Amino acid sequence: MEQTVEQKLEALYELQTIHTKVDKIRQTRGELPMEVADLEDDVAGLETRIQKIKSELDDLEDAIVNRKNMIKDSQALVKKYETQQNNVKNNREFDAISKEIEIQGLDVQVSEKKIKETQFEINSKTEVYEAALVALEERKKDLEGKKTELDNITSETQKEEEVLVKEADKASEKIDDRLKIAYNRLRSNFKNGLAVVTIERDSCSGCFNQIPPQRQSDIRQRKKIIVCEHCGRILVDETMAEEIKGTAV
């Protein structure tokens, strides 16, 4: 059965009234859901960073172990060459072994230098690692506090919100698709989510711009859907609004 304009306006304002109640409930949570999400991202980011630094530190420790083993190998070779040097038969053999001893000595020096550089890098990364651990604990505490705060607020309002959401779904069934699309678009256009508003003191209660007397008269007749010339919101007369609010109460 085709709805009259008045019935369409009533359905729209009824839906707006329910959505406004839902919006107010969600506003009590304020920025908490966003803060919780940001802190969760921070914790995940720090955990990834800590894992990466830990892996790098493990690699650096392995590098030092490898360098120390190389030093041991070089020192063992030096002892071996020194023993061989005592049994050489000519200067050519002596010089060749001396050259090998010199090469191993240089390898030891290089490895010792690399160990010092790696140890310095380990010390620097360890400071960063420990600072990240402290930051992670702080973020986790903040996250726990914000989650508790959000859970408390949510538990107080969740049942009421669920009831209202069901009411909104039921109310939206009375509105045709074309109007519903327009309504939802308007809701998304404004921070306060007001798509359907009343006349208050001869003005649009959405943007507070004056509404000409003839246009007010047209709105009160409820013969056609009229929008505010300034903000585009759908306008209903104050009597209709009071009747719908009275019914809702």
Side-chain angles (χ1 to χ4, degrees):
M1 184 174 162
E2 182 68 25
Q3 285 180 312
T4 65
V5 171
E6 184 172 353
Q7 287 172 328
K8 289 178 181 180
L9 288 167
E10 286 173 350
L12 283 166
Y13 192 73
E14 181 188 359
L15 182 59
Q16 178 67 76
T17 302
I18 298 167
H19 276 152
T20 299
K21 289 177 183 177
V22 173
D23 292 342
K24 283 180 181 176
I25 288 172
R26 291 175 178 172
Q27 281 167 14
T28 61
R29 296 170 199 159
E31 299 294 322
L32 277 174
M34 194 178 296
E35 288 174 18
V36 167
D38 288 344
L39 283 167
E40 286 174 338
D41 288 344
D42 287 348
V43 167
L46 282 166
E47 286 175 339
T48 301
R49 187 182 181 198
I50 286 166
Q51 189 57 47
K52 184 173 180 288
I53 297 171
K54 180 69 169 61
S55 178
E56 290 171 352
L57 284 169
D58 289 342
D59 290 343
L60 290 169
E61 292 287 357
D62 288 344
I64 286 179
V65 171
N66 290 335
R67 284 290 175 184
K68 285 181 177 179
N69 288 334
M70 288 171 69
I71 289 172
K72 286 179 183 178
D73 291 342
S74 292
Q75 289 172 337
L77 283 171
V78 167
K79 284 182 181 179
K80 176 185 172 184
Y81 290 142
E82 286 175 345
T83 301
Q84 289 178 356
Q85 207 172 36
N86 293 329
N87 299 315
V88 296
K89 296 177 181 178
N90 53 57
N91 288 338
R92 185 174 62 79
E93 288 181 8
F94 184 88
D95 290 343
I97 293 172
S98 295
K99 186 68 176 175
E100 289 297 331
I101 292 172
E102 183 183 352
I103 290 169
Q104 295 305 318
L106 289 171
D107 285 347
V108 168
Q109 289 177 21
V110 169
S111 290
E112 287 174 342
K113 183 183 177 186
K114 289 290 184 184
I115 286 171
K116 286 180 182 178
E117 290 173 352
T118 304
Q119 191 58 59
F120 179 80
E121 192 175 351
I122 286 173
N123 293 340
S124 298
K125 282 189 181 293
T126 299
E127 287 180 10
V128 175
Y129 178 77
E130 290 172 351
L133 284 175
V134 171
L136 177 61
E137 285 308 306
E138 289 175 354
R139 291 291 188 282
K140 280 184 174 180
K141 285 179 183 176
D142 290 343
L143 177 58
E144 187 179 347
K146 292 292 182 185
K147 273 187 171 179
T148 300
E149 190 178 349
L150 180 59
D151 288 344
N152 289 339
I153 293 172
T154 301
S155 64
E156 291 169 5
T157 58
Q158 189 171 8
K159 286 183 181 178
E160 185 183 355
E161 183 180 350
E162 286 173 357
V163 170
L164 287 169
V165 168
K166 285 179 182 177
E167 286 181 12
D169 290 341
K170 190 176 177 182
S172 69
E173 291 173 3
K174 301 176 189 176
I175 302 167
D176 65 58
D177 291 341
R178 185 181 60 81
L179 270 179
K180 205 181 298 182
I181 290 168
Y183 171 83
N184 289 330
R185 186 175 65 248
L186 283 167
R187 284 250 312 150
S188 64
N189 283 346
F190 302 107
K191 273 189 175 181
N192 59 13
L194 292 176
V196 186
V197 295
T198 59
I199 303 168
E200 286 185 13
R201 296 178 185 176
D202 300 326
S203 300
C204 166
S205 62
C207 66
F208 309 108
N209 279 290
Q210 286 281 319
I211 302 171
Q214 182 56 51
R215 199 164 184 81
Q216 289 186 48
S217 176
D218 292 341
I219 293 165
R220 291 189 178 100
Q221 287 179 33
R222 308 174 189 176
K223 300 289 185 182
K224 56 184 177 180
I225 293 173
I226 297 173
V227 301
C228 174
E229 294 175 335
H230 300 279
C231 66
R233 290 178 172 96
I234 298 166
L235 293 163
V236 298
D237 64 276
E238 51 271 66
T239 305
M240 174 184 284
E242 287 170 8
E243 288 170 357
I244 291 170
K245 283 179 180 176
T247 305
V249 173

